[in-house]
Amino acid sequence: MTLAASPTPAASLAISFADVEQAHARLRGVAHTTPVLTSATADGETGARIFFKCENQQRMGAFKFRGGYNAIARLSERQRAAGVVAFSSGNHAQAIALAARLFGTRAVIVMPSDAPQTKIAATRGYGAEVVLYDRYREDRQAISEGLARDQGLTLIPPFDHPDVMAGQGTAAKELFEQVGPLDVLFVPLGGGGLLSGTAVTARAMHPGCRIVGVEPEAGNDGQQSVRAGHIVQIPTPQTIADGAQTQHLGRLTFPVLQHLVHDIVTVTDAQLVDAMRFFASRMKMVVEPTGCLGAAAAFAAGESLRGKRVGVILSGGNVDLDRFARLLAGD
Ligand SMILES: *Cc1c(COP(=O)(O)O)cnc(C)c1O
């Protein structure tokens, strides 16, 4: 990765560590301080000391609550009174629905009509209004923008927004506060909200920590983008990591990754399933496929981590139990 060739000066990145600190203050007493777990088996196999930051145990089951809540907290009274809109079939939907409810704000979530019933039900369960669209015929962005315009709602994007990025960075801040310095930190990568917030945090708190983003092999647009020096767009990747099926990085997240992330690596779906099995059998935890990206990369790095202090963000735990069982059974 060539830092010198980066076109965006570091000073003009979308967020600074101060933004992450302020987000963390807003989340105090609202978000869970998630546990950090270790495993003698994982340490034994790698020769490293691995710290798993359990955002699968965050409110609504993923780190996305942090960014969603921070974004709604930053709206003006007037914007909050009018309501928010988001498009997502996954964790961002539930994060916005829950955060909006905590603020007493109206939330409209635009979801594909073929999204799993459990996700639609969970989003409604948090009190959001769900607007369904046909993903083969309709454009969710256009629908959301139309709702925003007609009803005065504020659109909250899943990753490419400074308040979302800063909120996501609070998971890494908390991890460093819990365990101290790390040699390397493995972070799941979709659109780059989590990774950009993490990288800004690490640079401020422990600049010696190597930050590694991890993508599904089938969807390595982030790796391609950083190598090419511009945002590369790919067709929707076929992978079990449904939270990382993004087609491209964001205009705000990409420059942060370019400047502050040391490496982007990929793992296969089979490696994700192996990691899911490890967490279920050894650590008695449900981690969703996307949540296993960082862990799978750490396990693959194996011997090269010997003697190191390694952080892994387990980003989420939302997976239908039927699907979980099918994946582990190899169907
Ligand atoms: C959204 C999500 C990611 C990817 O986060 P980005 O900020 O889009 O890079 C990773 N893991 C889980 C569980 C997610 O929900």
Side-chain angles (χ1 to χ4, degrees):
M1 187 176 305
T2 48
L3 298 179
S6 305
T8 311
S12 64
L13 295 179
I15 58 166
S16 67
F17 182 55
D19 298 314
V20 178
E21 288 179 304
Q22 286 159 19
H24 208 196
R26 287 182 199 107
L27 286 166
R28 194 159 296 137
V30 184
H32 295 320
T33 299
T34 52
V36 176
L37 299 183
T38 59
S39 154
T41 308
D43 288 358
E45 279 171 15
T46 53
R49 182 80 172 131
I50 306 186
F51 300 95
F52 297 103
K53 177 64 170 162
C54 294
E55 286 295 300
N56 58 322
Q57 296 179 34
Q58 185 50 265
R59 288 184 84 163
M60 56 61 57
F63 71 92
K64 287 228 171 54
F65 177 70
R66 296 172 181 270
Y69 185 92
N70 188 51
I72 296 181
R74 290 268 293 152
L75 297 178
S76 68
E77 292 287 337
R78 230 180 104 167
Q79 288 173 310
R80 264 204 299 277
V84 296
V85 56
F87 52 84
S88 164
S89 52
N91 288 330
H92 180 62
Q94 290 170 61
I96 292 302
L98 173 57
R101 195 186 66 186
L102 295 173
F103 281 105
T105 295
R106 174 176 177 225
V108 179
I109 309 291
V110 178
M111 299 179 96
S113 48
D114 60 354
Q117 280 306 317
T118 49
K119 290 214 165 141
I120 296 175
T123 306
R124 286 200 174 117
Y126 286 120
E129 296 159 48
V130 174
V131 172
L132 298 174
Y133 74 99
D134 178 344
R135 75 157 104 199
Y136 301 102
R137 283 169 218 248
E138 297 177 289
D139 175 9
R140 62 185 191 170
Q141 177 122 17
I143 292 174
S144 309
E145 284 167 2
L147 286 166
R149 206 174 39 242
D150 299 344
Q151 305 186 21
L153 306 173
T154 303
L155 180 64
I156 304 195
F159 51 85
D160 209 26
H161 188 289
D163 298 328
V164 173
M165 294 157 68
Q168 316 306 31
T170 63
K173 176 172 180 284
E174 212 171 271
L175 171 62
F176 285 125
E177 286 164 0
Q178 287 165 305
V179 306
L182 296 168
D183 297 304
V184 50
L185 177 53
F186 290 96
V187 187
L189 169 58
L194 180 63
L195 184 57
S196 58
T198 300
V200 165
T201 300
R203 180 184 55 171
M205 292 180 77
H206 293 291
C209 178
R210 193 175 161 75
I211 301 299
V212 181
V214 188
E215 289 182 304
E217 190 178 79
N220 72 332
D221 61 290
Q223 193 179 52
Q224 291 185 46
S225 300
V226 167
R227 285 182 185 160
H230 60 86
I231 298 174
V232 172
Q233 179 154 354
I234 60 170
T236 301
Q238 296 299 313
T239 168
I240 61 170
D242 49 320
Q245 279 181 309
T246 37
Q247 292 177 276
H248 56 84
L249 298 174
R251 280 187 315 115
L252 302 180
T253 58
F254 172 65
V256 180
L257 270 46
Q258 227 183 355
H259 279 282
L260 303 180
V261 169
H262 302 90
D263 201 4
I264 297 179
V265 301
T266 64
V267 296
T268 64
D269 282 2
Q271 287 174 298
L272 293 176
V273 171
D274 285 346
M276 287 169 74
R277 184 175 291 111
F278 171 83
F279 290 118
S281 67
R282 295 305 180 116
M283 297 180 73
K284 323 302 169 196
M285 274 200 306
V286 174
V287 186
E288 65 181 275
T290 317
C292 287
L293 283 166
F299 296 154
E303 277 294 312
S304 70
L305 299 179
R306 179 160 292 284
K308 302 223 159 100
R309 291 169 55 80
V310 177
V312 169
I313 297 186
L314 301 183
S315 52
N318 291 328
V319 51
D320 287 351
L321 283 187
D322 297 355
R323 178 162 181 253
F324 185 78
R326 278 199 309 277
L327 286 170
L328 291 202
D331 298 354

